[in-house]
Amino acid sequence: MKRRPIATARARAPAETPAPLAAKAPRATEQPQPPMRVLVMSHMDPRLSRGGAEIAAFQMYQELSSRENVTACFLSASGGKLPERLGVRLVQPFGLNEYVYVTQGFDHFLHANPDPEFPVEFTALLHEFRPDIVHLHHYTNFGVETLHLIRRACQPRALSSRCMSIWPSAIISARW
């Protein structure tokens, strides 16, 4: 049995053009939906380190910020390239919705964040912004435990990640 090409099969189908759908007018009782809130996280800021992953995450943030129905927030880490401020972990040196986590250390073996002040400030940011979607471009400099903090603080509808790998010793067991 010889198969016909898809284009030929479509050409023989009756040509029916559906009537254009009328634009659905919003009812007076319907509330306009609030914009979707997206938090994009990157292990470094592209203005501090010119790596490809940092640039990709920042471009994703810029694209989402340009959309009318999206409110985006960008959180990156400094990796020791910004001076530390006493008692402050999240700073905004570049813009209103652009935060930089000022840190000096990260455990690359356990993929853990040894900073005891980070969970409190990060949780406060999550409570303030209340993201619907969190995109964690990589957990380096934040720590793999950031996944648990996100789940406990805001329970977003979706969590996406571009993480390369997680060592078995660093996996946290939590039901999402």
Side-chain angles (χ1 to χ4, degrees):
M1 178 174 180
K2 189 175 182 181
R3 287 184 86 170
R4 284 185 260 165
I6 293 174
T8 308
R10 286 187 184 151
R12 293 183 186 184
E16 292 181 21
T17 54
L21 298 173
K24 192 176 176 182
R27 296 179 188 163
T29 58
E30 287 183 14
Q31 296 285 335
Q33 289 201 351
M36 183 179 355
R37 295 177 305 277
V38 181
L39 173 62
V40 179
M41 298 174 65
S42 176
H43 63 287
M44 289 289 286
D45 194 287
R47 293 159 287 199
L48 301 173
S49 172
R50 300 299 281 174
E54 295 91 319
I55 294 170
F58 191 70
Q59 287 176 343
M60 176 189 289
Y61 159 73
Q62 288 178 319
E63 171 61 30
L64 290 168
S65 295
S66 69
R67 298 183 180 197
E68 290 181 17
N69 59 344
V70 177
T71 301
C73 185
F74 186 69
L75 173 61
S76 61
S78 70
K81 296 191 178 195
L82 279 181
E84 226 177 304
R85 291 185 181 175
L86 188 61
V88 177
R89 288 291 177 240
L90 300 178
V91 297
Q92 293 177 288
F94 302 118
L96 183 63
N97 283 344
E98 299 172 12
Y99 294 86
V100 178
Y101 168 47
V102 181
T103 179
Q104 299 297 329
F106 179 74
D107 187 336
H108 288 276
F109 182 73
L110 295 176
H111 298 279
N113 187 343
D115 183 1
E117 296 175 20
F118 175 70
V120 176
E121 287 212 33
F122 181 60
T123 302
L125 176 67
L126 291 172
H127 284 157
E128 181 182 332
F129 186 63
R130 299 180 331 274
D132 298 310
I133 297 173
V134 177
H135 178 75
L136 180 60
H137 208 72
H138 204 291
Y139 54 79
T140 300
N141 293 331
F142 297 114
V144 73
E145 64 272 14
T146 302
L147 297 168
H148 184 66
L149 293 172
I150 293 168
R151 179 180 174 266
R152 288 187 63 188
C154 64
Q155 296 188 356
R157 286 188 263 165
L159 172 69
S160 64
S161 179
R162 192 213 61 87
C163 297
M164 290 180 239
S165 65
I166 299 177
W167 290 18
S169 63
I171 295 176
I172 52 174
S173 60
R175 293 183 196 166
W176 191 262

